[in-house]
Amino acid sequence: MNGAYSGWLIGAALVLALVSLITAVRNRPMGPVLLAGLGLLELAVLVQAGLALADLGHVAEKATFIGYLLGTVVIPPAAMWWGRAERTRWGPVVITVAAFTVAVMTGRLLQIWNAGA
Amino acid sequence: MSTRSGQGRGGEAVRSGPGRVLVAVYGIFALAATSRAAVQIATRFAEAPLAYVLSAFAGVVYIVLTVALARGARRVGIAACLVELAGVLVVGTLSLADPAAFPQATVWSGYGSGYGFVPLALPVIGLLWLLRGARRS
């Protein structure tokens, strides 16, 4: 796992949460921008999971760490599905929650990673 | 199931719109609380049995609520919200009054302070949502 990469990922997830929140405030359903954003976020967390798993010996709390990794990978597709199902402003609110959660979970991943073995 | 009467038109009102956000948040907490409890119980149960059992219980309550809200089962949802609210208040108070019994944090420790007090706000928001819909339908 790479601290700088994960830091950027947290920033990107927070930007997506903000864009999604603005969409909700403007009373629009999920559009192509949010869909693409979630797709990119999913790609980014997959890369992060790959980086982290490649050097898993580094962490002491393996079960918790893998749990958070799984969480980050599962959440963006779930948010995409929700955004398509709920064609009101509440779809983007779900995406805001999802993106924020990915940011928090990545923060927890970094904490566990930095605690070391 | 006894929840049939809570479904149908009323159930749709529970599920859609803001209800979907609640389902998402509850889903995340169900995932977080159960997996956390599973890890704690599997790896170091003897350290704080009470805290870990309560952690697991919180996880089950969140799972019940996620399913109840997703299916629009209003009565089960209201009951589970009340259990959840009681749980946050009791565990929150206990964790402050007797920190020795809670050396490791659970979702409900310190009224959910480790999770931005979301666990304290959720049952209140959940109840408001479920009861508001009940009046309308």
Side-chain angles (χ1 to χ4, degrees):
Chain A
M1 197 163 161
N2 181 311
Y5 177 82
S6 297
W8 280 105
L9 201 161
I10 292 174
L14 289 177
V15 168
L16 181 61
L18 186 66
V19 171
S20 183
L21 188 64
I22 292 170
T23 310
V25 170
R26 292 178 65 215
N27 204 0
R28 305 277 163 83
M30 180 181 77
V33 173
L34 286 182
L35 193 62
L38 281 172
L40 286 174
L41 185 65
E42 177 65 11
L43 263 180
V45 293
L46 281 174
V47 169
Q48 172 175 257
L51 288 172
L53 289 176
D55 196 10
L56 194 60
H58 184 85
V59 289
E61 290 204 55
K62 288 194 178 53
T64 312
F65 190 75
I66 293 172
Y68 277 116
L69 277 181
L70 278 178
T72 57
V73 170
V74 168
I75 287 172
M80 255 184 223
W81 179 79
W82 243 306
R84 292 176 62 97
E86 178 71 38
R87 302 303 297 164
T88 66
R89 62 159 55 171
W90 297 101
V93 176
V94 170
I95 296 169
T96 304
V97 172
F100 185 72
T101 307
V102 168
V104 172
M105 281 182 157
T106 304
R108 284 289 297 139
L109 279 170
L110 270 178
Q111 281 178 358
I112 298 173
W113 181 265
N114 290 331
Chain B
M1 242 164 81
S2 63
T3 58
R4 280 286 171 232
S5 58
Q7 293 181 344
R9 211 156 42 84
E12 185 53 45
V14 169
R15 275 197 300 271
S16 56
R20 243 182 249 273
V21 181
L22 272 178
V23 175
V25 176
Y26 269 116
I28 288 166
F29 269 88
L31 204 71
T34 25
S35 45
R36 183 170 191 176
V39 169
Q40 289 171 333
I41 288 173
T43 58
R44 40 178 190 272
F45 182 66
E47 275 177 31
L50 177 64
Y52 294 161
V53 167
L54 282 170
S55 222
F57 175 70
V60 172
V61 173
Y62 285 126
I63 291 173
V64 168
L65 266 165
T66 309
V67 175
L69 284 166
R71 293 176 51 105
R74 197 187 302 275
R75 260 185 280 166
V76 175
I78 291 173
C81 271
L82 290 173
V83 172
E84 185 197 358
L85 185 60
V88 183
L89 294 176
V90 170
V91 173
T93 308
L94 280 178
S95 66
L96 296 181
D98 183 13
F102 296 88
Q104 297 286 327
T106 72
V107 264
W108 287 345
S109 297
Y111 304 109
S113 57
Y115 293 80
F117 292 104
V118 174
L120 183 60
L122 263 186
V124 178
I125 298 170
L127 276 176
L128 287 177
W129 171 242
L130 287 165
L131 291 174
R132 193 197 71 128
R135 224 178 296 127
R136 198 202 275 158
S137 63

PDB file of all heavy atoms in Angstrom, chain B residues 94-132:
ATOM      1  N   LEU B  94     -23.100   2.803  29.996  1.00  0.00           N
ATOM      2  CA  LEU B  94     -22.255   1.811  30.663  1.00  0.00           C
ATOM      3  C   LEU B  94     -20.780   2.039  30.334  1.00  0.00           C
ATOM      4  O   LEU B  94     -19.921   1.943  31.208  1.00  0.00           O
ATOM      5  CB  LEU B  94     -22.657   0.394  30.246  1.00  0.00           C
ATOM      6  CG  LEU B  94     -23.882  -0.204  30.930  1.00  0.00           C
ATOM      7  CD1 LEU B  94     -24.179  -1.581  30.366  1.00  0.00           C
ATOM      8  CD2 LEU B  94     -23.665  -0.299  32.438  1.00  0.00           C
ATOM      9  N   SER B  95     -20.500   2.347  29.064  1.00  0.00           N
ATOM     10  CA  SER B  95     -19.099   2.481  28.659  1.00  0.00           C
ATOM     11  C   SER B  95     -18.451   3.683  29.343  1.00  0.00           C
ATOM     12  O   SER B  95     -17.240   3.705  29.563  1.00  0.00           O
ATOM     13  CB  SER B  95     -18.992   2.617  27.141  1.00  0.00           C
ATOM     14  OG  SER B  95     -19.583   3.826  26.715  1.00  0.00           O
ATOM     15  N   LEU B  96     -19.272   4.674  29.685  1.00  0.00           N
ATOM     16  CA  LEU B  96     -18.720   5.838  30.395  1.00  0.00           C
ATOM     17  C   LEU B  96     -18.654   5.564  31.896  1.00  0.00           C
ATOM     18  O   LEU B  96     -17.709   5.965  32.581  1.00  0.00           O
ATOM     19  CB  LEU B  96     -19.583   7.078  30.131  1.00  0.00           C
ATOM     20  CG  LEU B  96     -19.615   7.550  28.676  1.00  0.00           C
ATOM     21  CD1 LEU B  96     -20.480   8.786  28.532  1.00  0.00           C
ATOM     22  CD2 LEU B  96     -18.218   7.818  28.158  1.00  0.00           C
ATOM     23  N   ALA B  97     -19.661   4.831  32.419  1.00  0.00           N
ATOM     24  CA  ALA B  97     -19.718   4.569  33.858  1.00  0.00           C
ATOM     25  C   ALA B  97     -18.724   3.489  34.277  1.00  0.00           C
ATOM     26  O   ALA B  97     -18.164   3.542  35.370  1.00  0.00           O
ATOM     27  CB  ALA B  97     -21.138   4.153  34.251  1.00  0.00           C
ATOM     28  N   ASP B  98     -18.506   2.497  33.412  1.00  0.00           N
ATOM     29  CA  ASP B  98     -17.636   1.373  33.759  1.00  0.00           C
ATOM     30  C   ASP B  98     -16.688   1.075  32.597  1.00  0.00           C
ATOM     31  O   ASP B  98     -16.838   0.075  31.894  1.00  0.00           O
ATOM     32  CB  ASP B  98     -18.506   0.143  34.079  1.00  0.00           C
ATOM     33  CG  ASP B  98     -17.653  -1.043  34.509  1.00  0.00           C
ATOM     34  OD1 ASP B  98     -16.460  -0.849  34.792  1.00  0.00           O
ATOM     35  OD2 ASP B  98     -18.191  -2.164  34.557  1.00  0.00           O
ATOM     36  N   PRO B  99     -15.712   1.957  32.365  1.00  0.00           N
ATOM     37  CA  PRO B  99     -14.814   1.795  31.212  1.00  0.00           C
ATOM     38  C   PRO B  99     -14.057   0.466  31.241  1.00  0.00           C
ATOM     39  O   PRO B  99     -13.657  -0.046  30.196  1.00  0.00           O
ATOM     40  CB  PRO B  99     -13.835   2.964  31.359  1.00  0.00           C
ATOM     41  CG  PRO B  99     -14.502   3.928  32.267  1.00  0.00           C
ATOM     42  CD  PRO B  99     -15.362   3.113  33.181  1.00  0.00           C
ATOM     43  N   ALA B 100     -13.883  -0.128  32.437  1.00  0.00           N
ATOM     44  CA  ALA B 100     -13.125  -1.379  32.537  1.00  0.00           C
ATOM     45  C   ALA B 100     -13.804  -2.511  31.773  1.00  0.00           C
ATOM     46  O   ALA B 100     -13.144  -3.402  31.239  1.00  0.00           O
ATOM     47  CB  ALA B 100     -12.954  -1.763  34.003  1.00  0.00           C
ATOM     48  N   ALA B 101     -15.146  -2.489  31.733  1.00  0.00           N
ATOM     49  CA  ALA B 101     -15.874  -3.542  31.031  1.00  0.00           C
ATOM     50  C   ALA B 101     -15.797  -3.346  29.512  1.00  0.00           C
ATOM     51  O   ALA B 101     -16.114  -4.247  28.740  1.00  0.00           O
ATOM     52  CB  ALA B 101     -17.332  -3.576  31.481  1.00  0.00           C
ATOM     53  N   PHE B 102     -15.383  -2.158  29.083  1.00  0.00           N
ATOM     54  CA  PHE B 102     -15.321  -1.856  27.652  1.00  0.00           C
ATOM     55  C   PHE B 102     -13.938  -1.345  27.246  1.00  0.00           C
ATOM     56  O   PHE B 102     -13.795  -0.201  26.805  1.00  0.00           O
ATOM     57  CB  PHE B 102     -16.378  -0.806  27.270  1.00  0.00           C
ATOM     58  CG  PHE B 102     -17.784  -1.276  27.474  1.00  0.00           C
ATOM     59  CD1 PHE B 102     -18.411  -1.102  28.703  1.00  0.00           C
ATOM     60  CD2 PHE B 102     -18.483  -1.893  26.450  1.00  0.00           C
ATOM     61  CE1 PHE B 102     -19.709  -1.551  28.899  1.00  0.00           C
ATOM     62  CE2 PHE B 102     -19.776  -2.333  26.643  1.00  0.00           C
ATOM     63  CZ  PHE B 102     -20.396  -2.163  27.877  1.00  0.00           C
ATOM     64  N   PRO B 103     -12.915  -2.184  27.443  1.00  0.00           N
ATOM     65  CA  PRO B 103     -11.571  -1.733  27.084  1.00  0.00           C
ATOM     66  C   PRO B 103     -11.431  -1.510  25.578  1.00  0.00           C
ATOM     67  O   PRO B 103     -10.654  -0.678  25.136  1.00  0.00           O
ATOM     68  CB  PRO B 103     -10.665  -2.866  27.559  1.00  0.00           C
ATOM     69  CG  PRO B 103     -11.545  -4.066  27.601  1.00  0.00           C
ATOM     70  CD  PRO B 103     -12.925  -3.571  27.910  1.00  0.00           C
ATOM     71  N   GLN B 104     -12.196  -2.261  24.808  1.00  0.00           N
ATOM     72  CA  GLN B 104     -12.168  -2.091  23.360  1.00  0.00           C
ATOM     73  C   GLN B 104     -13.464  -1.432  22.924  1.00  0.00           C
ATOM     74  O   GLN B 104     -14.521  -1.759  23.435  1.00  0.00           O
ATOM     75  CB  GLN B 104     -12.029  -3.445  22.664  1.00  0.00           C
ATOM     76  CG  GLN B 104     -10.748  -4.169  22.988  1.00  0.00           C
ATOM     77  CD  GLN B 104      -9.552  -3.546  22.303  1.00  0.00           C
ATOM     78  OE1 GLN B 104      -9.678  -3.024  21.198  1.00  0.00           O
ATOM     79  NE2 GLN B 104      -8.393  -3.584  22.938  1.00  0.00           N
ATOM     80  N   ALA B 105     -13.360  -0.519  21.973  1.00  0.00           N
ATOM     81  CA  ALA B 105     -14.543   0.207  21.534  1.00  0.00           C
ATOM     82  C   ALA B 105     -15.505  -0.706  20.783  1.00  0.00           C
ATOM     83  O   ALA B 105     -15.093  -1.602  20.061  1.00  0.00           O
ATOM     84  CB  ALA B 105     -14.135   1.367  20.649  1.00  0.00           C
ATOM     85  N   THR B 106     -16.805  -0.489  20.983  1.00  0.00           N
ATOM     86  CA  THR B 106     -17.827  -1.095  20.139  1.00  0.00           C
ATOM     87  C   THR B 106     -18.508   0.065  19.407  1.00  0.00           C
ATOM     88  O   THR B 106     -18.226   1.225  19.704  1.00  0.00           O
ATOM     89  CB  THR B 106     -18.883  -1.848  20.978  1.00  0.00           C
ATOM     90  OG1 THR B 106     -19.692  -0.888  21.655  1.00  0.00           O
ATOM     91  CG2 THR B 106     -18.222  -2.749  22.007  1.00  0.00           C
ATOM     92  N   VAL B 107     -19.393  -0.283  18.470  1.00  0.00           N
ATOM     93  CA  VAL B 107     -20.067   0.802  17.743  1.00  0.00           C
ATOM     94  C   VAL B 107     -20.856   1.697  18.680  1.00  0.00           C
ATOM     95  O   VAL B 107     -21.048   2.882  18.406  1.00  0.00           O
ATOM     96  CB  VAL B 107     -21.054   0.287  16.674  1.00  0.00           C
ATOM     97  CG1 VAL B 107     -20.414   0.241  15.322  1.00  0.00           C
ATOM     98  CG2 VAL B 107     -21.648  -1.039  17.053  1.00  0.00           C
ATOM     99  N   TRP B 108     -21.337   1.113  19.802  1.00  0.00           N
ATOM    100  CA  TRP B 108     -22.218   1.883  20.680  1.00  0.00           C
ATOM    101  C   TRP B 108     -21.480   2.519  21.860  1.00  0.00           C
ATOM    102  O   TRP B 108     -22.090   3.205  22.674  1.00  0.00           O
ATOM    103  CB  TRP B 108     -23.357   0.999  21.188  1.00  0.00           C
ATOM    104  CG  TRP B 108     -24.375   0.704  20.121  1.00  0.00           C
ATOM    105  CD1 TRP B 108     -24.513   1.352  18.940  1.00  0.00           C
ATOM    106  CD2 TRP B 108     -25.392  -0.311  20.143  1.00  0.00           C
ATOM    107  NE1 TRP B 108     -25.549   0.814  18.221  1.00  0.00           N
ATOM    108  CE2 TRP B 108     -26.100  -0.207  18.935  1.00  0.00           C
ATOM    109  CE3 TRP B 108     -25.766  -1.285  21.077  1.00  0.00           C
ATOM    110  CZ2 TRP B 108     -27.172  -1.050  18.625  1.00  0.00           C
ATOM    111  CZ3 TRP B 108     -26.831  -2.118  20.763  1.00  0.00           C
ATOM    112  CH2 TRP B 108     -27.523  -1.997  19.551  1.00  0.00           C
ATOM    113  N   SER B 109     -20.170   2.297  21.996  1.00  0.00           N
ATOM    114  CA  SER B 109     -19.425   2.892  23.102  1.00  0.00           C
ATOM    115  C   SER B 109     -19.454   4.411  23.020  1.00  0.00           C
ATOM    116  O   SER B 109     -19.354   4.979  21.930  1.00  0.00           O
ATOM    117  CB  SER B 109     -17.964   2.427  23.076  1.00  0.00           C
ATOM    118  OG  SER B 109     -17.894   1.037  23.250  1.00  0.00           O
ATOM    119  N   GLY B 110     -19.571   5.044  24.182  1.00  0.00           N
ATOM    120  CA  GLY B 110     -19.567   6.512  24.218  1.00  0.00           C
ATOM    121  C   GLY B 110     -20.625   7.101  23.299  1.00  0.00           C
ATOM    122  O   GLY B 110     -20.391   8.105  22.646  1.00  0.00           O
ATOM    123  N   TYR B 111     -21.804   6.459  23.252  1.00  0.00           N
ATOM    124  CA  TYR B 111     -22.916   6.902  22.384  1.00  0.00           C
ATOM    125  C   TYR B 111     -22.494   6.963  20.910  1.00  0.00           C
ATOM    126  O   TYR B 111     -22.962   7.822  20.157  1.00  0.00           O
ATOM    127  CB  TYR B 111     -23.462   8.258  22.842  1.00  0.00           C
ATOM    128  CG  TYR B 111     -23.898   8.277  24.285  1.00  0.00           C
ATOM    129  CD1 TYR B 111     -23.172   8.977  25.233  1.00  0.00           C
ATOM    130  CD2 TYR B 111     -25.027   7.576  24.694  1.00  0.00           C
ATOM    131  CE1 TYR B 111     -23.549   8.977  26.560  1.00  0.00           C
ATOM    132  CE2 TYR B 111     -25.419   7.562  26.021  1.00  0.00           C
ATOM    133  CZ  TYR B 111     -24.681   8.268  26.959  1.00  0.00           C
ATOM    134  OH  TYR B 111     -25.067   8.250  28.260  1.00  0.00           O
ATOM    135  N   GLY B 112     -21.576   6.072  20.514  1.00  0.00           N
ATOM    136  CA  GLY B 112     -21.165   6.046  19.108  1.00  0.00           C
ATOM    137  C   GLY B 112     -20.170   7.134  18.745  1.00  0.00           C
ATOM    138  O   GLY B 112     -20.078   7.527  17.585  1.00  0.00           O
ATOM    139  N   SER B 113     -19.405   7.600  19.733  1.00  0.00           N
ATOM    140  CA  SER B 113     -18.486   8.705  19.470  1.00  0.00           C
ATOM    141  C   SER B 113     -17.397   8.307  18.469  1.00  0.00           C
ATOM    142  O   SER B 113     -16.871   9.155  17.749  1.00  0.00           O
ATOM    143  CB  SER B 113     -17.849   9.193  20.773  1.00  0.00           C
ATOM    144  OG  SER B 113     -17.186   8.122  21.410  1.00  0.00           O
ATOM    145  N   GLY B 114     -17.065   7.002  18.420  1.00  0.00           N
ATOM    146  CA  GLY B 114     -16.044   6.555  17.467  1.00  0.00           C
ATOM    147  C   GLY B 114     -16.532   6.585  16.031  1.00  0.00           C
ATOM    148  O   GLY B 114     -15.756   6.451  15.096  1.00  0.00           O
ATOM    149  N   TYR B 115     -17.831   6.746  15.845  1.00  0.00           N
ATOM    150  CA  TYR B 115     -18.418   6.765  14.502  1.00  0.00           C
ATOM    151  C   TYR B 115     -19.159   8.082  14.275  1.00  0.00           C
ATOM    152  O   TYR B 115     -20.214   8.124  13.643  1.00  0.00           O
ATOM    153  CB  TYR B 115     -19.373   5.575  14.317  1.00  0.00           C
ATOM    154  CG  TYR B 115     -18.662   4.241  14.311  1.00  0.00           C
ATOM    155  CD1 TYR B 115     -18.288   3.636  15.503  1.00  0.00           C
ATOM    156  CD2 TYR B 115     -18.331   3.614  13.116  1.00  0.00           C
ATOM    157  CE1 TYR B 115     -17.623   2.418  15.501  1.00  0.00           C
ATOM    158  CE2 TYR B 115     -17.668   2.407  13.103  1.00  0.00           C
ATOM    159  CZ  TYR B 115     -17.313   1.812  14.299  1.00  0.00           C
ATOM    160  OH  TYR B 115     -16.652   0.609  14.296  1.00  0.00           O
ATOM    161  N   GLY B 116     -18.603   9.147  14.832  1.00  0.00           N
ATOM    162  CA  GLY B 116     -19.186  10.472  14.617  1.00  0.00           C
ATOM    163  C   GLY B 116     -20.599  10.600  15.153  1.00  0.00           C
ATOM    164  O   GLY B 116     -21.402  11.368  14.629  1.00  0.00           O
ATOM    165  N   PHE B 117     -20.934   9.848  16.200  1.00  0.00           N
ATOM    166  CA  PHE B 117     -22.264   9.876  16.818  1.00  0.00           C
ATOM    167  C   PHE B 117     -23.373   9.494  15.848  1.00  0.00           C
ATOM    168  O   PHE B 117     -24.550   9.696  16.143  1.00  0.00           O
ATOM    169  CB  PHE B 117     -22.575  11.249  17.445  1.00  0.00           C
ATOM    170  CG  PHE B 117     -21.722  11.544  18.649  1.00  0.00           C
ATOM    171  CD1 PHE B 117     -20.664  12.427  18.563  1.00  0.00           C
ATOM    172  CD2 PHE B 117     -21.963  10.914  19.858  1.00  0.00           C
ATOM    173  CE1 PHE B 117     -19.854  12.685  19.660  1.00  0.00           C
ATOM    174  CE2 PHE B 117     -21.156  11.162  20.954  1.00  0.00           C
ATOM    175  CZ  PHE B 117     -20.105  12.053  20.865  1.00  0.00           C
ATOM    176  N   VAL B 118     -22.995   8.932  14.694  1.00  0.00           N
ATOM    177  CA  VAL B 118     -24.021   8.473  13.755  1.00  0.00           C
ATOM    178  C   VAL B 118     -24.905   7.395  14.394  1.00  0.00           C
ATOM    179  O   VAL B 118     -26.127   7.420  14.221  1.00  0.00           O
ATOM    180  CB  VAL B 118     -23.380   7.969  12.446  1.00  0.00           C
ATOM    181  CG1 VAL B 118     -24.418   7.350  11.531  1.00  0.00           C
ATOM    182  CG2 VAL B 118     -22.683   9.125  11.731  1.00  0.00           C
ATOM    183  N   PRO B 119     -24.322   6.447  15.179  1.00  0.00           N
ATOM    184  CA  PRO B 119     -25.174   5.421  15.805  1.00  0.00           C
ATOM    185  C   PRO B 119     -26.244   5.988  16.735  1.00  0.00           C
ATOM    186  O   PRO B 119     -27.274   5.362  16.948  1.00  0.00           O
ATOM    187  CB  PRO B 119     -24.170   4.562  16.600  1.00  0.00           C
ATOM    188  CG  PRO B 119     -22.890   4.742  15.896  1.00  0.00           C
ATOM    189  CD  PRO B 119     -22.889   6.172  15.421  1.00  0.00           C
ATOM    190  N   LEU B 120     -26.001   7.178  17.281  1.00  0.00           N
ATOM    191  CA  LEU B 120     -26.996   7.807  18.156  1.00  0.00           C
ATOM    192  C   LEU B 120     -28.084   8.490  17.327  1.00  0.00           C
ATOM    193  O   LEU B 120     -29.269   8.458  17.669  1.00  0.00           O
ATOM    194  CB  LEU B 120     -26.304   8.832  19.070  1.00  0.00           C
ATOM    195  CG  LEU B 120     -27.182   9.528  20.108  1.00  0.00           C
ATOM    196  CD1 LEU B 120     -27.801   8.527  21.060  1.00  0.00           C
ATOM    197  CD2 LEU B 120     -26.372  10.556  20.881  1.00  0.00           C
ATOM    198  N   ALA B 121     -27.678   9.090  16.221  1.00  0.00           N
ATOM    199  CA  ALA B 121     -28.630   9.824  15.380  1.00  0.00           C
ATOM    200  C   ALA B 121     -29.497   8.875  14.548  1.00  0.00           C
ATOM    201  O   ALA B 121     -30.673   9.141  14.316  1.00  0.00           O
ATOM    202  CB  ALA B 121     -27.876  10.782  14.459  1.00  0.00           C
ATOM    203  N   LEU B 122     -28.906   7.741  14.114  1.00  0.00           N
ATOM    204  CA  LEU B 122     -29.618   6.835  13.197  1.00  0.00           C
ATOM    205  C   LEU B 122     -30.986   6.364  13.700  1.00  0.00           C
ATOM    206  O   LEU B 122     -31.968   6.467  12.949  1.00  0.00           O
ATOM    207  CB  LEU B 122     -28.745   5.617  12.898  1.00  0.00           C
ATOM    208  CG  LEU B 122     -27.931   5.644  11.608  1.00  0.00           C
ATOM    209  CD1 LEU B 122     -27.252   4.295  11.408  1.00  0.00           C
ATOM    210  CD2 LEU B 122     -28.814   5.945  10.418  1.00  0.00           C
ATOM    211  N   PRO B 123     -31.080   5.821  14.937  1.00  0.00           N
ATOM    212  CA  PRO B 123     -32.393   5.327  15.359  1.00  0.00           C
ATOM    213  C   PRO B 123     -33.432   6.432  15.437  1.00  0.00           C
ATOM    214  O   PRO B 123     -34.609   6.201  15.150  1.00  0.00           O
ATOM    215  CB  PRO B 123     -32.130   4.710  16.745  1.00  0.00           C
ATOM    216  CG  PRO B 123     -30.846   5.290  17.199  1.00  0.00           C
ATOM    217  CD  PRO B 123     -30.053   5.585  15.956  1.00  0.00           C
ATOM    218  N   VAL B 124     -33.017   7.645  15.793  1.00  0.00           N
ATOM    219  CA  VAL B 124     -33.955   8.766  15.871  1.00  0.00           C
ATOM    220  C   VAL B 124     -34.459   9.104  14.466  1.00  0.00           C
ATOM    221  O   VAL B 124     -35.671   9.230  14.230  1.00  0.00           O
ATOM    222  CB  VAL B 124     -33.272   9.995  16.518  1.00  0.00           C
ATOM    223  CG1 VAL B 124     -34.236  11.167  16.539  1.00  0.00           C
ATOM    224  CG2 VAL B 124     -32.799   9.654  17.927  1.00  0.00           C
ATOM    225  N   ILE B 125     -33.513   9.213  13.513  1.00  0.00           N
ATOM    226  CA  ILE B 125     -33.906   9.506  12.129  1.00  0.00           C
ATOM    227  C   ILE B 125     -34.772   8.370  11.587  1.00  0.00           C
ATOM    228  O   ILE B 125     -35.795   8.604  10.936  1.00  0.00           O
ATOM    229  CB  ILE B 125     -32.653   9.696  11.249  1.00  0.00           C
ATOM    230  CG1 ILE B 125     -31.835  10.896  11.756  1.00  0.00           C
ATOM    231  CG2 ILE B 125     -33.034   9.891   9.797  1.00  0.00           C
ATOM    232  CD1 ILE B 125     -30.478  11.025  11.118  1.00  0.00           C
ATOM    233  N   GLY B 126     -34.366   7.121  11.889  1.00  0.00           N
ATOM    234  CA  GLY B 126     -35.122   5.959  11.427  1.00  0.00           C
ATOM    235  C   GLY B 126     -36.550   5.977  11.939  1.00  0.00           C
ATOM    236  O   GLY B 126     -37.504   5.765  11.190  1.00  0.00           O
ATOM    237  N   LEU B 127     -36.708   6.264  13.242  1.00  0.00           N
ATOM    238  CA  LEU B 127     -38.048   6.309  13.838  1.00  0.00           C
ATOM    239  C   LEU B 127     -38.879   7.419  13.211  1.00  0.00           C
ATOM    240  O   LEU B 127     -40.049   7.217  12.865  1.00  0.00           O
ATOM    241  CB  LEU B 127     -37.940   6.532  15.353  1.00  0.00           C
ATOM    242  CG  LEU B 127     -37.709   5.279  16.205  1.00  0.00           C
ATOM    243  CD1 LEU B 127     -37.525   5.656  17.657  1.00  0.00           C
ATOM    244  CD2 LEU B 127     -38.883   4.318  16.050  1.00  0.00           C
ATOM    245  N   LEU B 128     -38.274   8.608  13.048  1.00  0.00           N
ATOM    246  CA  LEU B 128     -39.006   9.727  12.453  1.00  0.00           C
ATOM    247  C   LEU B 128     -39.503   9.347  11.064  1.00  0.00           C
ATOM    248  O   LEU B 128     -40.656   9.596  10.704  1.00  0.00           O
ATOM    249  CB  LEU B 128     -38.106  10.968  12.368  1.00  0.00           C
ATOM    250  CG  LEU B 128     -37.814  11.673  13.692  1.00  0.00           C
ATOM    251  CD1 LEU B 128     -36.854  12.825  13.473  1.00  0.00           C
ATOM    252  CD2 LEU B 128     -39.114  12.182  14.309  1.00  0.00           C
ATOM    253  N   TRP B 129     -38.623   8.720  10.300  1.00  0.00           N
ATOM    254  CA  TRP B 129     -38.965   8.335   8.920  1.00  0.00           C
ATOM    255  C   TRP B 129     -40.094   7.311   8.900  1.00  0.00           C
ATOM    256  O   TRP B 129     -41.063   7.457   8.160  1.00  0.00           O
ATOM    257  CB  TRP B 129     -37.714   7.804   8.222  1.00  0.00           C
ATOM    258  CG  TRP B 129     -37.971   7.186   6.888  1.00  0.00           C
ATOM    259  CD1 TRP B 129     -37.744   5.904   6.523  1.00  0.00           C
ATOM    260  CD2 TRP B 129     -38.491   7.835   5.719  1.00  0.00           C
ATOM    261  NE1 TRP B 129     -38.093   5.697   5.227  1.00  0.00           N
ATOM    262  CE2 TRP B 129     -38.556   6.863   4.712  1.00  0.00           C
ATOM    263  CE3 TRP B 129     -38.926   9.143   5.446  1.00  0.00           C
ATOM    264  CZ2 TRP B 129     -39.031   7.155   3.439  1.00  0.00           C
ATOM    265  CZ3 TRP B 129     -39.406   9.414   4.163  1.00  0.00           C
ATOM    266  CH2 TRP B 129     -39.449   8.436   3.185  1.00  0.00           C
ATOM    267  N   LEU B 130     -39.960   6.276   9.750  1.00  0.00           N
ATOM    268  CA  LEU B 130     -40.969   5.210   9.760  1.00  0.00           C
ATOM    269  C   LEU B 130     -42.310   5.723  10.264  1.00  0.00           C
ATOM    270  O   LEU B 130     -43.366   5.376   9.738  1.00  0.00           O
ATOM    271  CB  LEU B 130     -40.486   4.046  10.626  1.00  0.00           C
ATOM    272  CG  LEU B 130     -39.369   3.209  10.002  1.00  0.00           C
ATOM    273  CD1 LEU B 130     -38.707   2.332  11.037  1.00  0.00           C
ATOM    274  CD2 LEU B 130     -39.927   2.357   8.870  1.00  0.00           C
ATOM    275  N   LEU B 131     -42.292   6.576  11.289  1.00  0.00           N
ATOM    276  CA  LEU B 131     -43.545   7.060  11.870  1.00  0.00           C
ATOM    277  C   LEU B 131     -44.216   8.082  10.956  1.00  0.00           C
ATOM    278  O   LEU B 131     -45.437   8.094  10.804  1.00  0.00           O
ATOM    279  CB  LEU B 131     -43.277   7.697  13.248  1.00  0.00           C
ATOM    280  CG  LEU B 131     -42.861   6.680  14.320  1.00  0.00           C
ATOM    281  CD1 LEU B 131     -42.465   7.387  15.605  1.00  0.00           C
ATOM    282  CD2 LEU B 131     -43.981   5.679  14.579  1.00  0.00           C
ATOM    283  N   ARG B 132     -43.423   8.918  10.311  1.00  0.00           N
ATOM    284  CA  ARG B 132     -43.970   9.906   9.389  1.00  0.00           C
ATOM    285  C   ARG B 132     -44.732   9.215   8.278  1.00  0.00           C
ATOM    286  O   ARG B 132     -45.853   9.571   7.917  1.00  0.00           O
ATOM    287  CB  ARG B 132     -42.830  10.739   8.792  1.00  0.00           C
ATOM    288  CG  ARG B 132     -43.266  11.984   8.076  1.00  0.00           C
ATOM    289  CD  ARG B 132     -42.153  12.476   7.194  1.00  0.00           C
ATOM    290  NE  ARG B 132     -41.973  11.595   6.057  1.00  0.00           N
ATOM    291  CZ  ARG B 132     -41.958  12.027   4.795  1.00  0.00           C
ATOM    292  NH1 ARG B 132     -42.050  13.310   4.558  1.00  0.00           N
ATOM    293  NH2 ARG B 132     -41.794  11.186   3.801  1.00  0.00           N
TER     294      ARG B 132
END
